[in-house]
Amino acid sequence: MSRPLAIIGAGKIALDQHIPAIAAGDGFALVATVDPGAGIDGVPNFADLAALLARGPRAEAVAICTPPQMRGAIAREAIAAGLHVLLEKPPAATLAALAALTDQARAAGVTLFAAWHLRFAAMVEEARIWLAGRTVVGGSVTWRESVRRWHPGQTWLWAPGGLGVFDPGINALSILTEICPASLEIVSARLAVPANAHTPIAARLTLASGTAMIPVDFDFREDGDQVWRIVLETACGHRLCLSDGAAVLTIDADPPRSRPTSEYAGVYARFAALVEARRIDADPAPLRLVADALLVAETERVAAFVE
C-alpha cells in the first residue's frame, strides 16, 4: 500500500528526481507539495508545513528537498508532527544538527533517512562487495562539473551553509565512505573561494584510508567533459574505477560493467523499508569529512563568480 507523502521544496531536484521516482514506485503517493512559490500541476501546494498540517491532505511522510540551510528547522517540525522524514543531501547544515534530529526521531518513534542518493548508483554495491577484505593502498577522486550547467540560479550554494563545490563533492564522499574497507580521514585541504562567496568553488583534499593517501579534486568550473570518477588501488595489485558517477565499474583491464538503474528508485525503496520497520538511517560520515576539510583547510581567494 502506498503511503501518502509530501515534498517540501519543489525545486530542481524534486522535479528532476523525486517526483518521477515516487510516480514510478509503489511505496509512496505524492499528495502535496510545500513551497512558498509554485508547486506542480495537479498537486495541492502549501506555503509552509504548518499550512499543510492544518488544511492539507493527510501525509505520513515528507521528503525535504529545500536548500540545506532550511532543512533542520523543517525536519524538527515534521518529526514533532509524527511524520517520517527523508532528507536530501546534505542532511543538515552541521553535524550537531543531524545528531539532534536523529535523537528527536528516535524519541518520537519515526523514521529519519539521510538519503545519500549516489550510494544507490548502479555499481556502488558491486564495488563495495569487491573491495571487502581488500586493502586500499592508493587512488584518486576527480569530481569536476559546471555549476552553471547543473545548478543554474542556485545562489544558496554560495551562502554560509551552502557548501559550494562540496554540494556535488559530498556525493563522491558518500560513495567512498560506503565502499572503502577502512575508515577515511582528512589529512589536508586547500579551498578556492570566490571573492563574492562564502563557500568554495574548488577544493583539493588529501584523504587517508589506513596508510593510503588519496588525492581529491573537486571543481565547479569544468566547462569541458564532466568528470565524476573514483579510482582505488589495492595491495594485491588491482585497480578499481567507478566512473560516470558510479554508473560504470571497471576492474583492471576487464570490460566496463554497468546496468540500468535509478538512484532515486533505490532511495525511495529504502525509505519505504525504513518506514515499515520504523528505523533510522542517518549516516553522518560524508558530512563529517566535509566539516573536517573546512576545519583544516588553507583558503585562497579567487575571481568573483558570475552566473
Side-chain angles (χ1 to χ4, degrees):
M1 181 183 68
S2 297
R3 297 176 184 271
L5 175 142
I7 286 179
I8 303 178
K12 180 174 172 55
I13 194 67
L15 296 172
D16 291 353
Q17 301 292 349
H18 288 260
I19 291 170
I22 292 166
D26 57 10
F28 298 94
L30 181 63
V31 297
T33 57
V34 175
D35 196 294
I40 64 171
D41 290 343
V43 178
N45 184 61
F46 299 85
D48 53 35
L49 180 55
L52 170 65
L53 295 172
R55 304 189 301 276
R58 184 183 72 88
E60 292 183 27
V62 293
I64 303 179
C65 304
T66 66
Q69 296 96 325
M70 308 174 187
R71 284 183 197 144
I74 295 169
R76 287 193 295 273
E77 183 181 1
I79 294 168
L83 299 172
H84 304 289
V85 175
L86 181 156
L87 295 164
E88 248 297 344
K89 60 84 189 172
T94 66
L95 287 164
L98 181 57
L101 289 176
T102 302
D103 289 344
Q104 183 188 359
R106 186 173 292 112
V110 300
T111 291
L112 181 72
F113 179 32
W116 301 109
H117 66 88
L118 267 194
R119 288 183 173 178
F120 297 89
M123 306 311 293
V124 168
E125 180 63 6
E126 284 195 32
R128 186 192 67 78
I129 292 170
W130 187 86
L131 283 165
R134 290 181 162 91
T135 300
V136 173
V137 296
S140 63
V141 178
T142 308
W143 224 254
R144 299 177 65 92
E145 65 181 59
S146 167
V147 66
R148 293 180 178 88
R149 175 177 173 183
W150 299 104
H151 302 273
Q154 295 182 9
T155 56
W156 57 265
L157 283 164
W158 311 112
L163 294 191
V165 76
F166 283 113
D167 183 73
I170 205 170
N171 290 330
L173 300 178
S174 74
I175 295 171
L176 278 173
T177 50
E178 181 74 1
I179 68 175
C180 280
S183 61
L184 294 156
E185 63 180 286
I186 297 289
V187 176
S188 65
R190 185 169 183 82
L191 311 180
V193 180
N196 59 342
H198 294 277
T199 58
I201 199 167
R204 305 291 181 271
L205 316 176
T206 301
L207 284 172
S209 177
T211 59
M213 295 295 142
I214 303 171
V216 176
D217 174 12
F218 295 156
D219 208 310
F220 246 164
R221 302 168 295 188
E222 183 56 68
D223 293 327
D225 292 339
Q226 310 290 281
V227 182
W228 302 286
R229 182 175 62 239
I230 295 171
V231 175
L232 295 174
E233 299 158 354
T234 67
C236 49
H238 293 296
R239 179 182 185 272
L240 175 147
C241 177
L242 284 169
S243 55
D244 289 348
V248 178
L249 171 65
T250 307
I251 296 174
D252 299 331
D254 294 345
R257 304 203 301 268
S258 188
R259 65 175 185 272
T261 191
S262 166
E263 296 161 22
Y264 279 84
V267 165
Y268 276 95
R270 174 66 172 161
F271 188 35
L274 290 169
V275 170
E276 183 67 25
R278 297 266 174 160
R279 290 181 53 210
I280 290 171
D281 180 357
D283 181 15
L287 184 60
R288 182 181 294 117
L289 289 175
V290 172
D292 285 353
L294 295 172
L295 278 172
V296 304
E298 301 176 42
T299 301
E300 61 172 329
R301 283 288 179 177
V302 296
F305 173 75
V306 180
E307 182 77 36

